[in-house]
Amino acid sequence: MATEYTLLMQKTADGSAVKSSLDDFGFAVCDIPWPDEETEEVATRKWPGVDGEDAYIPPGGQKLQAYDVEVEFRYKGDLNTAYAAYKTLRNYLIGAGGFLRLYDPYWKKGRKEVYVKKFHDRKPHRSNIDEALSMKVTFRATNPTSEITLAYVGD
């Protein structure tokens, strides 16, 4: 498994295996731009005639917002295989088994309680001997402070 070109995924249902986007579905990861971490809105109040504002930070500290991660995938295979590979990956990501756990072995960053928001920018390319498909998948990380690792065993 080429660590820098894969995304490890696991459903949260008991006994779910860790899957590799590259080894199990044939999709290499081209880009995972992990977004900036933003805090939740702090309660503030502006008083007339006074400089600045009053702000309230809860005793437990500020909390991070959930965020979206847009992952760019690419597939290359024999003629007439790209759409079937896409459907297999799509059906795994949105199928039964609960939330996803995602782990990026390149950046060694993982999140739990993740779900798919959308599949977009699908661009198929076909030649005389093979075909390719690039696409983006937007995931929603609902637990921005979770830190997980996943290990891929393979077949």
Side-chain angles (χ1 to χ4, degrees):
M1 174 180 67
T3 300
E4 59 274 11
Y5 299 112
T6 194
L7 180 67
L8 298 181
M9 306 166 280
Q10 182 184 36
K11 292 288 190 162
T12 55
D14 289 341
S16 296
V18 174
K19 302 277 189 177
S20 162
S21 66
L22 186 58
D23 293 345
D24 292 310
F25 301 102
F27 281 88
V29 171
C30 297
D31 193 21
I32 305 178
W34 289 98
D36 295 335
E37 295 179 327
E38 294 184 39
T39 60
E40 290 182 355
E41 192 81 19
V42 173
T44 61
R45 185 168 183 171
K46 173 79 173 108
W47 295 95
V50 178
D51 292 332
E53 64 187 13
D54 287 339
Y56 172 76
I57 296 179
Q62 291 180 269
K63 303 298 180 196
L64 293 174
Q65 292 182 9
Y67 57 83
D68 294 343
V69 179
E70 186 178 86
V71 179
E72 184 178 349
F73 291 100
R74 292 227 174 100
Y75 171 86
K76 184 174 181 182
D78 295 332
L79 285 172
N80 303 314
T81 60
Y83 185 65
Y86 161 73
K87 286 194 312 185
T88 302
L89 177 61
R90 180 199 64 200
N91 292 343
Y92 172 76
L93 292 174
I94 64 174
F99 281 106
L100 291 164
R101 295 179 185 108
L102 296 182
Y103 182 69
D104 177 357
Y106 182 78
W107 288 108
K108 304 205 179 334
K109 185 172 186 173
R111 293 290 180 259
K112 62 182 179 178
E113 299 171 16
V114 175
Y115 65 89
V116 173
K117 278 185 74 173
K118 74 178 171 179
F119 298 89
H120 54 106
D121 294 342
R122 285 192 305 272
K123 297 175 186 159
H125 305 281
R126 182 176 287 177
S127 71
N128 292 335
I129 57 172
D130 61 13
E131 64 184 13
L133 174 67
S134 63
M135 68 172 186
K136 293 180 181 176
V137 179
T138 302
F139 295 96
R140 180 76 172 171
T142 63
N143 186 340
T145 57
S146 62
E147 291 287 341
I148 64 157
T149 59
L150 294 174
Y152 182 70
V153 177
D155 293 331

